[in-house]
Each structure stands twice: as C-alpha cells, then as structure tokens.
Amino acid sequence: MAPVHVLVFPWPLQGHINSMLHFAAGLLDAGLHVSFVHTEHNLRRLDRAKAAASPRLRLVSIPDGLPDDHPRSVDDLKDLSKSLMTTGTVPYRALLASMLSAGSHAADGGFPPLSCVVADGLLPFAIDIAEELGVPALAFRTASACSVLAYLSVPKLMELGQVPIPVGADLDEPVRGVPGMEDFLRRRDLPSACRLRADTNAVDPLLHILVNYSTHSAKARALICNSPASLEGSALAHIAPQMRDVFAIGPVHAMWAAPALPTSLLREDEGCMAWLDGHADRSVVYVSLGSLAVISLEQFTEFLSGLVGAGYAFLWVLRPDMVGESQRGVLQEAIDAAGNDKVRVVDWAPQRDVLRHRAVGCFLTHAGWNSTLEGIVEGVPLVCWPFFADQQINSRFVGAVWGNGLDMKDVCERAVVEGMVREAMESAELRMKAQALAQQVRRDVAEGGSSATEFERLVCFIKELTVKAATASNNTV
C-alpha cells in the first residue's frame, strides 16, 4: 500500500494544539506521515530551536489574517474565527493543492501526496475545502463529548424554551432536553454561551457558531473525540446516530507523548518542579485556570484569600494577562502573609509533570477538557471553577457524575474557595473515586483497551479512505 499522508489542522489555540499534537504522535506511531498546520502567527511564537524527531512529521503554516499585534484573546475569538474563514481559506486551499500535485513527493523531501485531512471541528471550512479537492476529511473535537452533545441539543432546547437562559433566571432549574443527562443537568451546567449576555441581554453570537460547527461535523467522513468510552459512553452513544462514524479515543496525551518539537505558545517555568520537590506528599494545591481565562481583581482577591485561608502550600499559574498589573501588589502582600515557602506563582507550568508529582494533593482548575483529562489520568481530586464554553458541563460531570471532584461554578468567594480546597485535600472518599477513575481510564488507553482498539480502527479507516480516494482519482484521469 502507498504511504499515507495526513494533514492535521487544529484551531489555533493552546489547548487545541496540545491534544491534536498528541493525536499526530499516534499517527506517526502507526507509520503515517503528518503535516501539522499552525497559523503563521503561532509558528513565529514557538521555540523553533527544537526540531521534529520524526522525518515523517513537518510543520506547515497559513496566515490567520489578523495583524501580529492583535491580542487573539478570549474576547476576540469571533474575530479569529471570521478571519480564518475569509483570509485563511485561499492559502489553505493552495497548501492542499500543492500537497496533491504530481511533483509533491520529490519536492517535499520524501513526503507522499496528501491522503487525508483531520481538521478541528471548529474549522468547518478546512473540511469542506478538502472534500472539494477530493481529499477525505475527518473532524476532531478537542472538547468533551458531553459538551458536543449539548451543542447538538441546542435546537431542541430552544424549541422547549430552555435556551437561551434569561439574565437573572434560576440557574438551578433542571434541563430536560439533553439526552442521557435529564437526571442531573441544570441551566448553570449548560455551555456558557447558552446564557443571554448580561451586558446586552442578547444571545451570545458564539452559541450559533458552536452549534453550527458541531452540526457541520456530520458532513465529515467521521468524528474523532478525545474521550474514552468508559468516561463518556452515554454521550458518545447519543452523538453517534448524528454522525457518519464516531471514533472514541483518548485521553490522547496518555496514549502518546507529544512529538519532540515546540508545543507551548507560553514559556513554561521548570523551576516549579524543584519547588515541589521540597514539599511533603499531597501537601500542595495546584491552581491553573488555563490559557484563556481572564478574571477581575475582585475574583483574584477572593481566590487568593481562600487559598491562603485553606492553609496549604499552593502553586498558582497566573498569566501576566489574566488580571493585569493590579494583581502584583495584592499578590505580594498575600505571599508575605502566607510565607514565601508556601506560595509559588509562575506564568505557566509543565502541567502534566506537576499533576503527577507526589506533592500535589488537588487541582483547582477551570475544567477545560485537556486539564480535566490530565487531572483524571493522574488521579488528582479536582475543584472546578469553569470560565466559559464546555467548561460548565465538564465541571458538572466531575462533581455529579464521576465524583472525582467538586463543582464551584458561578461562585467566587473566599470562604467557598477555602472550604472546597480543604475538602479536596482531605476527603478520603474524593481521593478514592479519583484514583479509581484514573485506573479505569488507564485501562482504556492500554493495549486491548477501548481507546487503543478504537485508534487501530481509525488508522484502518484512514487507510481505506486513502485507497478509495486514489482509486476514484485514477478513474477520473
């Protein structure tokens, strides 16, 4: 069989890049060639001194259409989406065409012609253009299956009058329109875009975008979810009839190490590992609200007071753009009060290494899907303070379904932070459930497990698509 060449195209944000790089590593492990697409802006931010370890992996790029000084922050995601779909489509089409050309193999130093595209589900144009050019395309969702199902259920929720959620509504009212979640889902657990915007009392434009993108995945040859069946089997079962095929793999970070090439858009502080070495087992609270969350000075102060009040040492990932310069004075006062040996603050951390460190006792997280899975794999109890998008529903599953942590959504008060951190650090029941969940998911990714078996099926599926596409191409010549 001819070599298989897959183009992998993530949405250009840190969390999406992370999981799709691990997925790319799996394709390499299976003997496939991979072209990994960055935006030109992100590629310039990466440490290019690190080189790809595999001759079957290369980095390529397209412009995102925004000026270099554009913040590309959480408030600007609609700008990025619109720009990619307009400015980015022409160079993307040209990139695919160049990979399909007759001389592509020789010109690319041994890379075979393009066989298949695996594009982020939030990049529907990448799927459509590939199919227009005769390249089979699959969608990859980096969010949880339960959140994808929630987005797919929004039209029904609108018919039932449960979405959009009015400003000031009772957020504890049950939600009945998401299949399999009728017994525990509340309004506050739906993705944040389901709520009317408090500033305008209008529907969040992001809701229609995410619903349309989720529905669009039905046009792809298959949907790939970074979700083990044992964790999200019910959601996956309800998604499957709406797609042409579904592959439940993952957690991908636990299946394959990321390729030896630059991955982080933010510089990691390796010194925090030595700091953790100096602390007793399960004595440190790890705090990270991800790469996008922005909090007010008031919320920052409540978090900080609660953490100090809990009495445990804590390692806090606090990006410079998360609160602003006003955080520094308050932070220094708290560090002085708590004692310098009990507090470590870094701009960014090697999270998976931190979570598996013996000193970490719990993880205060935004409940992004990557972070949730990383905490699950390491058996660390979670305290979830979701910020936006799928994080609300992820945190509900942590607290009410899987039982490996606590759900602190819609509250940011020092007494609540202090109480939940203490419970997560001290509850034997939470720790037992977290560790049992970790063992279950590790079985999924091990040889013969559901995720490993699904990935083998996926590789065969891609190879079969490649053969069919080549045959169709030859028949048209």
Side-chain angles (χ1 to χ4, degrees):
M1 180 178 176
V4 178
H5 173 194
V6 180
L7 181 137
V8 176
F9 190 180
W11 176 257
L13 290 178
Q14 185 68 68
H16 294 247
I17 294 168
N18 283 352
S19 56
M20 293 189 75
L21 266 173
H22 286 284
F23 170 70
L27 298 178
L28 293 171
D29 191 56
L32 279 56
H33 290 69
V34 176
S35 291
F36 195 89
V37 184
H38 281 292
T39 60
E40 291 176 354
H41 173 81
N42 282 348
L43 198 55
R44 283 193 294 270
R45 292 176 64 191
L46 294 171
D47 180 4
R48 301 302 301 278
K50 296 181 180 179
S54 172
R56 287 181 284 103
L57 171 66
R58 63 179 177 182
L59 302 182
V60 296
S61 64
I62 64 168
D64 64 14
L66 296 174
D68 237 20
D69 60 354
H70 190 285
R72 295 168 175 80
S73 67
V74 67
D75 293 327
D76 306 302
L77 295 184
K78 291 186 290 296
D79 291 348
L80 181 56
S81 176
K82 183 177 180 181
S83 184
L84 273 170
M85 285 193 298
T86 52
T87 310
T89 53
V90 172
Y92 172 70
R93 185 184 294 271
L95 178 67
L96 295 190
S98 71
M99 293 180 178
L100 288 168
S101 64
S104 175
H105 194 150
D108 290 336
F111 258 69
L114 184 62
S115 315
C116 173
V117 165
V118 176
D120 197 305
L122 301 189
L123 296 170
F125 75 84
I127 293 167
D128 293 342
I129 291 174
E131 291 285 353
E132 287 171 17
L133 295 176
V135 182
L138 290 73
F140 188 110
R141 284 306 295 262
T142 61
S144 58
C146 59
S147 70
V148 173
L149 179 58
Y151 289 127
L152 291 171
S153 303
V154 163
K156 180 181 177 182
L157 291 173
M158 286 182 165
E159 286 179 18
L160 295 171
Q162 297 186 325
V163 167
I165 301 166
V167 177
D170 177 9
L171 294 178
D172 288 319
E173 184 174 309
V175 172
R176 305 297 186 194
V178 185
M181 303 184 204
E182 297 89 348
D183 293 340
F184 59 86
L185 206 64
R186 308 161 300 179
R187 281 172 160 175
R188 70 173 72 251
D189 305 319
L190 289 172
S192 59
C194 291
R195 305 181 190 185
L196 290 177
R197 292 176 60 110
D199 54 347
T200 62
N201 202 36
V203 175
D204 190 332
L206 198 59
L207 179 62
H208 295 301
I209 292 172
L210 290 169
V211 170
N212 290 340
Y213 288 0
S214 298
T215 304
H216 184 276
S217 292
K219 297 181 179 180
R221 303 298 178 101
L223 175 66
I224 305 168
C225 292
N226 182 21
S227 302
S230 67
L231 201 62
E232 294 206 277
S234 174
L236 290 161
H238 286 102
I239 290 170
Q242 303 181 58
M243 301 293 153
R244 293 167 72 175
D245 203 342
V246 173
F247 293 88
I249 64 174
V252 291
H253 81 274
M255 297 179 74
W256 309 282
L261 80 174
T263 58
S264 181
L265 302 175
L266 301 163
R267 190 171 297 279
E268 297 174 344
D269 185 325
E270 299 288 346
C272 62
M273 300 305 296
W275 182 82
L276 286 171
D277 289 341
H279 288 79
D281 291 0
R282 298 200 298 272
S283 67
V284 175
V285 179
Y286 173 56
V287 186
S288 176
L289 300 179
S291 60
L292 287 175
V294 176
I295 61 176
S296 67
L297 180 60
E298 181 182 2
Q299 289 171 324
F300 165 73
T301 303
E302 293 297 306
F303 268 119
L304 187 56
S305 299
L307 288 166
V308 172
Y312 291 96
F314 59 89
L315 168 62
W316 194 351
V317 174
L318 200 60
R319 305 185 328 272
D321 64 336
M322 193 166 167
V323 183
E325 285 304 314
S326 54
Q327 73 191 29
R328 295 300 171 184
V330 179
L331 180 61
Q332 190 56 53
E333 288 178 18
I335 291 174
D336 293 341
N340 284 318
D341 61 325
K342 295 193 71 173
V343 181
R344 174 87 178 198
V345 178
V346 298
D347 290 348
W348 199 242
Q351 181 160 289
R352 286 185 291 276
D353 293 336
V354 168
L355 287 171
R356 67 174 63 103
H357 196 285
R358 57 167 182 77
V360 172
C362 83
F363 180 16
L364 200 169
T365 172
H366 63 310
W369 190 232
N370 285 344
S371 291
T372 301
L373 289 175
E374 288 164 6
I376 286 173
V377 168
E378 301 308 327
V380 178
L382 308 180
V383 177
C384 300
W385 189 77
F387 176 61
F388 85 131
D390 65 320
Q391 298 161 16
Q392 273 77 13
I393 197 166
N394 298 344
S395 65
R396 182 58 168 170
F397 270 73
V398 167
V401 180
W402 303 320
N404 62 315
L406 305 169
D407 185 2
M408 195 171 65
K409 68 165 60 77
D410 297 318
V411 178
C412 189
E413 298 171 2
R414 63 190 68 192
V416 175
V417 173
E418 178 180 332
M420 286 199 174
V421 164
R422 282 184 174 167
E423 183 177 352
M425 290 291 282
E426 298 166 10
S427 169
E429 181 182 2
L430 272 183
R431 183 163 300 280
M432 181 180 67
K433 287 183 177 179
Q435 292 178 346
L437 197 62
Q439 292 174 0
Q440 171 185 301
V441 171
R442 288 172 185 167
R443 286 193 293 271
D444 292 330
V445 302
E447 186 176 355
S450 64
S451 291
T453 302
E454 275 285 88
F455 183 73
E456 290 174 5
R457 184 172 77 88
L458 174 60
V459 171
C460 291
F461 181 83
I462 289 173
K463 289 179 176 178
E464 289 172 7
L465 284 179
T466 301
V467 171
K468 290 176 183 176
T471 302
S473 177
N474 291 336
N475 289 341
T476 58
V477 175

